[in-house]
């Protein structure tokens, strides 16, 4: 089994910054893409940013130039640096990983989510 544990959420004023972390653990052989999604109340879950094992990144248009996704493959960890935060960034942020287990079963895993609130 594989577990994803997120940390780093909180309350920040508009224009502020937060850094989210997500660490994967368990019977991992290899992690392919890792990413961050978010879901605000009454809205659909949306992709925020993703990063492949070789470092290629993809961002939602709404966060380009403000958010940066990175990963440490040795630690099975993905990060999301969020700058110039706006109230519309308020959501639960969820980590996702495409994992090949040690039994060579490929599956998609999700973290429990961390709340990010941008407000005065």
């Amino acid at each position: 089994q594989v577990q994803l544990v997120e940390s780093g959420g909180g309350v920040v004023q508009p224009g502020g910054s937060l850094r989210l972390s997500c660490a994967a653990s368990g019977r991992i052989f290899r992690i392919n893409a890792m990413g961050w999604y978010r879901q605000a109340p009454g809205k659909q879950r949306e992709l925020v940013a993703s990063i492949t094992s070789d470092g290629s990144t993809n961002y939602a248009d709404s966060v380009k130039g403000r958010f940066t996704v990175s990963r440490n493959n040795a630690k099975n960890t993905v990060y999301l640096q969020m700058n110039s935060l706006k109230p519309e960034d308020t959501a639960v942020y969820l980590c996702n990983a495409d994992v090949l287990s040690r039994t060579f079963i490929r599956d998609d895993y999700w973290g429990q989510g961390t709340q990010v609130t941008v407000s005065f």
Side-chain angles (χ1 to χ4, degrees):
Q1 189 67 304
V2 174
Q3 298 82 36
L4 301 181
V5 178
E6 299 121 331
S7 61
V11 180
V12 63
Q13 292 188 355
S17 298
L18 283 174
R19 188 185 192 223
L20 306 182
S21 299
C22 171
S25 62
R27 299 176 62 81
I28 298 169
F29 178 76
R30 183 181 68 238
I31 301 178
N32 300 312
M34 301 184 81
W36 291 94
Y37 289 72
R38 67 186 179 187
Q39 187 161 19
K43 294 187 177 182
Q44 288 191 332
R45 186 174 296 183
E46 63 173 352
L47 174 68
V48 177
S50 63
I51 183 167
T52 63
S53 57
D54 63 359
S56 297
T57 58
N58 180 49
Y59 295 93
D61 287 343
S62 59
V63 306
K64 284 180 180 177
R66 300 188 298 123
F67 291 10
T68 302
V69 62
S70 60
R71 64 190 282 176
N72 183 324
N73 290 330
K75 295 183 177 180
N76 289 333
T77 300
V78 63
Y79 307 95
L80 185 67
Q81 178 66 43
M82 304 185 293
N83 298 329
S84 302
L85 282 160
K86 304 175 181 180
E88 50 264 41
D89 294 317
T90 296
V92 174
Y93 283 70
L94 302 107
C95 175
N96 173 266
D98 175 7
V99 178
L100 182 65
S101 72
R102 293 178 187 172
T103 54
F104 299 104
I105 296 173
R106 184 176 178 178
D107 209 343
D108 217 31
Y109 292 90
W110 292 89
Q112 80 286 357
T114 185
Q115 177 69 45
V116 171
T117 301
V118 185
S119 177
F120 285 107

